[in-house]
Amino acid sequence: MDILAHAAARFGNAPMLYLPNRVLSFHQCNEQAAAIAARLQSKGVRAGAIVAILSPNTPELVFLLLALLKSGIIAPLNHRLPQPLLTRMVERLQPCLLISDVDAPHISNINNHLSLSSLLDGIIYSNTSQSGCPLLSAESEVTRNNFPADAMQQPVTIIHTSASSGEAKAALHSLANHWYSALGSNHNLPFASGDCWLLSLPLCHIGGYSLLFRALLSGGALAISAPHASLSNALSNFPLTHLSLVPTQLYRLLADSENGEQFRSIKAILLGGSAAPASLIDEALRRQLPLYLTYGSTEMSSQIATSFKPLTTLQADSGTVLPYRQVAMSDDGELLVKGECLFLGYLRDGNIAPQRDGDGWFHTADVGTLAADGTLT
């Protein structure tokens, strides 16, 4: 199943990707990704093959991730990690190919290494037509999900946890995991054609990567800044309507953006990743920013609970549980989760280690409370 080609057939010449110096449509992104996928296949990448990637957020990385949705299993890694840790992570993955645009660690068991620039040479921004393609009719509404069940269950990504409580774990996700995560998130916080979401979180983590699927399902556009550009610069240079931030990023943005005019087009600021100090939320509310709190995890393919409307007062909860997710509490207060978004398991020594208990629940190791109305704290 080619979810990118399906999105191109639905949204055609609508903008998909805003870059610092150009805008590409869904159709053009699909063309670029198809050309890259063909080159990857010539390098031996086949369905089910793991491709490890070391790269900061760049437009080139976005194209590579889109291409790998057509071929292979995506394993993006945090290039900022210490080299010994990256070495262990890559050796455990045993990928068929390692692609990087930074200095790759010396991996004794990985001989097939390729630079991102050489892979994309002669492809990016070339041979993209302007004519688009025939659009699918309304009968092809994405929520119908008429794709084969076996295709939906195919693994598509290996995304490591943030390692906030130990060494990072390699979480394996299916197409269905990402699909239903995006579907439930878009249902709660609309993102559609005409909107533009900034890729401000690392694409090697679930919060950043999940935005690709939100765009592919909804027709909304994504924007990616030049490396090292500030968030306030992105507000000035792109037609942004949505932001995903962690508290540190929101601090910096508020410090750099005294002029409220920069936020005029913003419909939603999704704040998560860690607990936000009350003083930070108070300042955002004082500036009348459309702030949504969220709680999620890598294992649940991103968001689990999110505010259903912008905050108007300081609140302690993390919003309500989203569609396609279920949350329960154990006797000792641990949060348990399951649903269509729950990952396939951790990848260990080439094998999938499921993490469900006998009733299908994943134990998050997070402590919280769940109200009768689905509000999660």
Side-chain angles (χ1 to χ4, degrees):
M1 173 189 147
D2 191 334
I3 186 173
L4 178 54
H6 182 75
R10 293 188 68 217
F11 307 119
N13 290 329
M16 180 182 178
L17 197 57
Y18 283 86
L19 307 179
N21 59 352
R22 69 185 68 220
V23 181
L24 294 177
S25 68
F26 279 85
H27 177 59
Q28 290 172 318
C29 286
N30 182 53
E31 283 188 327
Q32 297 278 275
I36 299 167
R39 185 166 290 180
L40 286 168
Q41 289 168 5
S42 73
K43 304 291 183 182
V45 177
R46 299 289 184 268
I50 296 173
V51 177
I53 306 165
L54 279 171
S55 173
N57 277 20
T58 64
E60 291 76 17
L61 176 60
V62 175
F63 285 120
L64 176 59
L65 295 177
L66 293 174
L68 282 167
L69 282 172
K70 297 175 178 289
S71 177
I73 297 176
I74 305 162
L77 302 173
N78 185 351
H79 73 286
R80 295 182 180 276
L81 293 175
Q83 182 169 316
L85 178 54
L86 281 173
T87 298
R88 290 198 301 273
M89 293 169 73
V90 173
E91 288 179 339
R92 288 171 182 170
L93 288 171
Q94 287 298 298
C96 76
L97 182 63
L98 172 63
I99 302 173
S100 69
D101 75 348
V102 293
D103 291 334
H106 175 70
I107 310 296
S108 58
N109 295 326
I110 303 297
N111 298 317
N112 201 4
H113 170 238
L114 192 64
S115 72
L116 184 53
S117 58
S118 64
L119 173 68
L120 305 184
D121 184 43
I123 294 178
I124 294 298
Y125 312 133
S126 66
N127 301 319
T128 55
S129 70
Q130 300 293 329
S131 59
C133 52
L135 298 185
L136 295 178
S137 69
E139 292 298 318
S140 298
E141 174 60 37
V142 72
T143 54
R144 290 180 178 270
N145 183 13
N146 293 324
F147 299 110
D150 57 343
M152 292 293 287
Q153 295 307 316
Q154 288 297 313
V156 292
T157 61
I158 301 167
I159 296 181
H160 285 76
T161 60
S162 60
S164 58
S165 58
E167 191 159 327
K169 302 180 182 71
L172 186 67
H173 298 93
S174 68
L175 182 62
N177 293 154
H178 291 299
W179 180 286
Y180 285 106
S181 174
L183 205 58
S185 297
N186 286 347
H187 176 81
N188 176 72
L189 202 169
F191 177 56
S193 183
D195 292 332
C196 182
W197 206 310
L198 180 66
L199 287 170
S200 53
L201 300 179
L203 287 162
C204 60
H205 291 315
I206 195 65
Y209 183 83
S210 64
L211 295 180
L212 296 181
F213 271 78
R214 292 195 71 161
L216 291 172
L217 266 68
S218 70
L222 303 174
I224 184 162
S225 297
H228 311 302
S230 67
L231 288 171
S232 58
N233 177 269
L235 281 173
S236 301
N237 293 329
F238 296 119
L240 299 177
T241 57
H242 293 66
L243 297 171
S244 290
L245 304 175
V246 297
T248 301
Q249 289 175 310
L250 182 57
Y251 266 125
R252 292 173 181 166
L253 183 59
L254 293 178
D256 293 342
S257 306
E258 291 297 333
N259 184 356
E261 287 296 315
Q262 285 186 293
F263 296 102
R264 183 173 295 277
S265 66
I266 299 298
K267 298 179 180 179
I269 298 175
L270 193 63
L271 186 66
S274 62
S279 59
L280 178 63
I281 296 177
D282 276 340
E283 177 61 16
L285 293 178
R286 185 185 71 80
R287 299 199 195 188
Q288 298 182 317
L289 300 186
L291 199 64
Y292 293 75
L293 299 183
T294 188
Y295 160 71
S297 73
T298 304
E299 291 85 356
M300 281 294 282
S301 311
S302 189
Q303 298 172 64
I304 296 171
T306 303
S307 310
F308 69 91
K309 62 181 180 180
L311 271 62
T312 55
T313 59
L314 185 66
Q315 63 185 59
D317 65 79
S318 298
T320 55
V321 178
L322 300 178
Y324 310 108
R325 291 87 158 154
Q326 298 176 53
V327 178
M329 288 175 53
S330 67
D331 293 339
D332 61 0
E334 182 182 18
L335 296 175
L336 313 179
V337 293
K338 65 179 178 180
E340 287 88 345
C341 304
L342 183 58
F343 74 139
L344 301 176
Y346 296 125
L347 192 66
R348 294 174 179 165
D349 301 321
N351 298 310
I352 303 173
Q355 298 298 304
R356 297 173 173 84
D357 65 17
D359 295 318
W361 295 100
F362 172 72
H363 293 239
T364 66
D366 293 332
V367 175
T369 58
L370 181 67
D373 64 357
T375 301
L376 187 64
T377 302

